[in-house]
Amino acid sequence: MKEIILAKCGELVLKGLNRKSFEKTLIKNLHAALSPIGEFEISSIQSTIYIDGKRDYDIDDAYARVSRVFGIASLSRAAEVPKNMDDILCAALEYARPALKKGTSFKVAAKRSDKRFCKTSPEICSELGAYLMKNIDGLRVDVHKPDVLVTVEVRDFAAYIHFKSDPGAGGMPYGSGGKACLMLSGGIDSPVAGYMMAKRGVSLSAVHFLSPPYTGELAKEKVLTLAGTMSAYCPGIELYLVHFTEIQEQILKNCREELFTVIMRRFMVRLADEVAQMSGADALVTGESLGQVASQTLSALTVTNAAAKHIIFRPLIGMDKEEIVTVARKIDTFETSILPYEDCCTVFTPRHPKTRPNLAEVELEEQKLDIEALVARAKEKITKETIQ
Ligand code: ATP
Ligand code: MG
């Protein structure tokens, strides 16, 4: 029996006049996700997306790929049958039989987008319901809370039968919500922050700060691997590398040790602003979570924000580490994130960073540095990596 994939759109059905453009982005993303395994016919009718290979294809692989595309609330495999009642009855019995064991309760739902079909939706439901009851022993009808919902959708060229759905990736289509620049460290948090923004439809570029010779080649490889893993959710993510050694050495040499971290973070956002501009992004994203470390107190974040031109999104701000780790495992970044290579932030960590810095004292301290020249020199050396 021929099978196709049916996907139900999530929140984008609420988008009113913009819905068409959201749908267009979603279909483009589906084509991109499926392109490594073949060419697909993808069309959408009334918030259902029909996905079918142009030639033979591995439906398990295709199903797994579709399940990772943002903007889809749920998906199911469906049998495609000719549009006449006899074929629908026989196919539904054969296709749904494995799920309709003795003692199972079920309900039939029908939708007709082809209103010329010879039966109405209630007629399809009652005929198919009776047919299943007659042919399978021990079934029960439950219209309120059935164990199995057998759905028949009658479309222009065929009818589709499905009875089991799985949750999709949710969220909004990637790229439908603008673009942001993710500050990607080698840690656990920032890939999760990127994932959460991507899920809301924001496409990403990423910036990583490294401090050779204090940070080594392996630390850089680790970030490349993380960006590679993220590209499953953030197709086409670009990674920019910023050499940060001179800036850190200058802060260390000239500024009060307890303000080192907050001053360093202000330089990071200044350079992330530059990368955002280079990559066409309109916001920054970090993996900060309130109170996690000294640089993530309310006062420290306020002082850091003051150096930024773009809005900074911190999607993990109210999450506990454990909750963040759960997502990191789900998106397959955790194992890479815990590899023990040094990060430029940890190389010069002060013994007692100030947890309540205020902007005036930090700005005064920064006067000991030539901010513009330092940023300009670091900017000159920014490189863009290719992500596999
Ligand atoms: P993570 O697990 O993401 O490394 P963290 O708890 O170690 O987070 P910090 O080191 O204070 O926290 O960093 C906070 C945020 O600053 C990170 O989530 C990331 O967005 C950004 N950041 C830190 N170090 C770097 C870096 N080397 N390159 C790019 N961004 C960084
Ligand atoms: Mg870190």
Side-chain angles (χ1 to χ4, degrees), residues 23 67-68 89 114 138 153 203 210 240 292 330 338 367 381:
E23 229 168 59
S67 75
R68 288 193 291 266
L89 294 178
D114 173 10
E153 306 198 12
S203 69
L210 30 83
Y240 294 81
Q292 197 184 76
K330 185 175 99 179
I338 57 172
Q367 282 177 11
K381 284 201 247 156

Side-chain angles (χ1 to χ4, degrees), residues 134-201:
K134 190 174 105 197
N135 286 282
I136 302 176
D137 282 344
L139 280 188
R140 276 186 304 121
V141 173
D142 183 342
V143 291
H144 301 294
K145 262 189 131 192
D147 299 326
V148 178
L149 178 67
V150 179
T151 305
V152 180
E153 306 198 12
V154 182
R155 265 194 70 180
D156 288 353
F157 300 107
Y160 299 91
I161 296 157
H162 52 99
F163 60 89
K164 177 180 173 294
S165 70
D166 294 294
M172 301 294 296
Y174 186 71
S176 65
K179 184 167 182 178
C181 175
L182 170 67
M183 294 169 64
L184 181 62
S185 70
I188 297 168
D189 306 331
S190 41
V192 173
Y195 166 82
M196 290 182 68
M197 293 305 292
K199 185 172 175 186
R200 294 310 299 166

Side-chain angles (χ1 to χ4, degrees), residues 73-99:
S74 66
L75 64 164
S76 41
R77 293 162 73 131
E80 182 178 304
V81 289
K83 273 183 4 181
N84 67 69
M85 208 51 208
D86 285 345
D87 282 316
I88 291 174
L89 294 178
C90 291
L93 176 63
E94 183 191 335
Y95 193 58
R97 192 192 280 274

Side-chain angles (χ1 to χ4, degrees), residues 101-346:
K101 305 224 160 56
K102 208 172 180 168
T104 307
S105 65
F106 82 107
K107 171 185 171 179
V108 178
K111 288 181 205 160
R112 287 187 313 160
S113 60
D114 173 10
K115 300 291 179 205
R116 293 160 310 172
F117 187 63
C118 59
K119 307 269 176 186
T120 63
S121 297
E123 283 167 352
I124 300 173
C125 290
S126 68
E127 277 190 39
L128 178 55
Y131 188 76
L132 294 174
M133 291 285 280
K134 190 174 105 197
N135 286 282
I136 302 176
D137 282 344
L139 280 188
R140 276 186 304 121
V141 173
D142 183 342
V143 291
H144 301 294
K145 262 189 131 192
D147 299 326
V148 178
L149 178 67
V150 179
T151 305
V152 180
E153 306 198 12
V154 182
R155 265 194 70 180
D156 288 353
F157 300 107
Y160 299 91
I161 296 157
H162 52 99
F163 60 89
K164 177 180 173 294
S165 70
D166 294 294
M172 301 294 296
Y174 186 71
S176 65
K179 184 167 182 178
C181 175
L182 170 67
M183 294 169 64
L184 181 62
S185 70
I188 297 168
D189 306 331
S190 41
V192 173
Y195 166 82
M196 290 182 68
M197 293 305 292
K199 185 172 175 186
R200 294 310 299 166
V202 174
S203 69
L204 295 178
S205 57
V207 55
H208 178 70
F209 297 89
L210 30 83
S211 307
Y214 306 104
T215 61
E217 201 51 32
L218 288 173
K220 176 176 144 187
E221 291 302 321
K222 176 181 175 182
V223 174
L224 284 168
T225 307
L226 280 177
T229 308
M230 290 186 73
S231 66
Y233 306 94
C234 316
I237 187 171
E238 313 137 45
L239 175 65
Y240 294 81
L241 296 179
V242 179
H243 284 249
F244 209 45
T245 320
E246 188 196 2
I247 291 175
Q248 288 183 303
E249 285 176 344
Q250 286 298 314
I251 305 172
L252 194 67
K253 194 165 131 205
N254 295 293
C255 304
R256 270 160 51 203
E257 184 185 321
E258 59 173 4
L259 293 179
F260 176 90
T261 307
V262 72
I263 293 176
M264 177 190 77
R265 297 204 58 82
R266 282 163 58 84
F267 273 96
M268 280 188 168
V269 300
R270 288 184 188 112
L271 280 150
D273 271 334
E274 298 289 343
V275 173
Q277 198 168 12
M278 282 179 202
S279 60
D282 295 316
L284 305 183
V285 180
T286 78
E288 289 160 315
S289 153
L290 198 60
Q292 197 184 76
V293 286
S295 62
Q296 296 172 27
T297 62
L298 197 60
S299 348
L301 294 175
T302 306
V303 175
T304 305
N305 262 20
K309 290 191 200 128
H310 292 93
I311 184 171
I312 305 181
F313 289 119
R314 300 180 170 95
L316 312 188
I317 199 72
M319 285 170 79
D320 292 344
K321 195 77 187 187
E322 247 175 72
E323 295 168 313
I324 299 170
V325 165
T326 304
V327 184
R329 287 189 195 280
K330 185 175 99 179
I331 63 172
D332 275 340
T333 52
F334 182 75
E335 295 301 329
T336 309
S337 290
I338 57 172
L339 293 173
Y341 307 125
E342 60 294 309
D343 180 69
C344 76
C345 283
T346 46

